[in-house]
Amino acid sequence: MLGDEAFRLAKEAKDITTDHIPAYNEEQVRLVTQETRYLWTRIEDMYASLNPSIGTQQEQQRRQQTGSGPAEPAEQLPASSQTHATQQPFSQQPPLDGAMDSQEDDSQIEHRNSISGQTTLYAQTLARNKRCLLAYHDRRARFLRSLLWTLHLAPSLVPGNLLARMSPDEQTYMREYAKLNSAYRDAVEAQLIPSGSLDWAANGDLPPRDPLIEVRVVKDCGEVVTENGVVSLQAGTQHYVSRADVEHLITIGYLEHVSPC
């Protein structure tokens, strides 16, 4: 059935957690990509049958991409999807003229409606396949970034058993991600603290996305001057404050960082 391969890939993406990542399923990704390309080719062919001039342009484009020879045949759909996709073979349907007049007979109208329904199904399946592919790779990329920060942005420290579960492209992604962060850190150090060093991976956490954090006051701190003014930190109260202003109070236990749900 159409979409079955993408469904399997989405299930694998769901299995990725902060502590576990399965091996990269290159074969499953290939099957989903192959089905997606096949569906796009089918949509183009169906649309071209309703407008021969467009079909001629597409044929010329395909020949330009593949050379002067005949157009390259469409990719074959994976076996699990062929049953549904070939219930109404498009090659057996007669093409229509580009201009439809008011004298269309019932067979032409039925043919046009049939193509409209098939293209809608194929387009929705194609979009779903893309979403599943993006979700799968995004979940894996999030795991890789989190892993790098726990290892102080040092790809060389990644355990061998985890490297074996990553594709070559993912390993390259980790190295390049670490290089970009190191280059940015060096640029910040050169401008802000030329004589010092900035180790923003010291705590092994991802960098904060929001400079403001929510804190709960454990012990009375009195009035604290922040970049946004004076804040009275009384025990039992909660505040949104700049992380830089209260980091030291969190460290000594006067404030507690309230993690978002």
Side-chain angles (χ1 to χ4, degrees), residues 39-235:
L39 292 174
W40 180 249
T41 302
R42 291 282 291 165
I43 292 172
E44 284 187 327
D45 291 342
M46 289 180 178
Y47 184 60
S49 75
L50 300 177
N51 193 331
S53 62
I54 295 179
T56 302
Q57 294 175 1
Q58 291 178 348
E59 182 71 16
Q60 292 175 352
Q61 291 177 356
R62 290 180 185 176
R63 292 190 179 187
Q64 290 176 357
Q65 293 174 356
T66 59
S68 58
E72 190 176 78
E75 291 188 64
Q76 293 297 319
L77 191 64
S80 62
S81 302
Q82 286 182 351
T83 302
H84 181 80
T86 59
Q87 287 178 353
Q88 296 179 336
F90 181 76
S91 59
Q92 297 177 6
Q93 299 173 346
L96 294 178
D97 293 332
M100 298 294 294
D101 56 30
S102 60
Q103 303 299 323
E104 286 182 321
D105 57 27
D106 292 342
S107 63
Q108 290 175 320
I109 296 176
E110 183 180 355
H111 173 60
R112 178 178 288 271
N113 290 339
S114 173
I115 288 182
S116 176
Q118 290 184 62
T119 53
T120 299
L121 172 63
Y122 291 167
Q124 291 181 349
T125 305
L126 184 150
R128 181 176 178 274
N129 285 0
K130 288 184 177 180
R131 291 197 300 271
C132 290
L133 282 168
L134 289 172
Y136 178 74
H137 289 94
D138 179 67
R139 289 291 292 269
R140 294 185 67 89
R142 288 172 183 265
F143 177 90
L144 298 180
R145 292 195 297 269
S146 177
L147 175 65
L148 277 177
W149 283 96
T150 60
L151 299 176
H152 304 278
L153 296 174
S156 60
L157 299 180
V158 176
N161 62 326
L162 289 180
L163 281 176
R165 301 176 190 172
M166 302 174 192
S167 69
D169 289 335
E170 288 178 327
Q171 296 180 25
T172 301
Y173 171 79
M174 284 199 305
R175 291 192 295 269
E176 294 301 321
Y177 180 80
K179 288 180 181 178
L180 285 174
N181 278 277
S182 297
Y184 178 72
R185 178 195 61 196
D186 294 343
V188 171
E189 286 181 352
Q191 294 183 12
L192 301 181
I193 44 175
S195 59
S197 177
L198 180 64
D199 185 6
W200 52 25
N203 59 358
D205 295 330
L206 286 168
R209 292 179 176 271
D210 193 341
L212 294 180
I213 61 172
E214 184 177 6
V215 296
R216 181 183 297 110
V217 182
V218 180
K219 300 178 182 179
D220 285 334
C221 303
E223 293 185 343
V224 176
V225 179
T226 69
E227 60 183 12
N228 296 320
V230 178
V231 179
S232 179
L233 301 179
Q234 302 298 324

Side-chain angles (χ1 to χ4, degrees), residues 1-2 4-5 8 31 35 77-84:
M1 294 291 291
L2 292 176
D4 282 354
E5 304 299 342
R8 296 188 183 95
L31 290 174
E35 181 182 84
L77 191 64
S80 62
S81 302
Q82 286 182 351
T83 302
H84 181 80

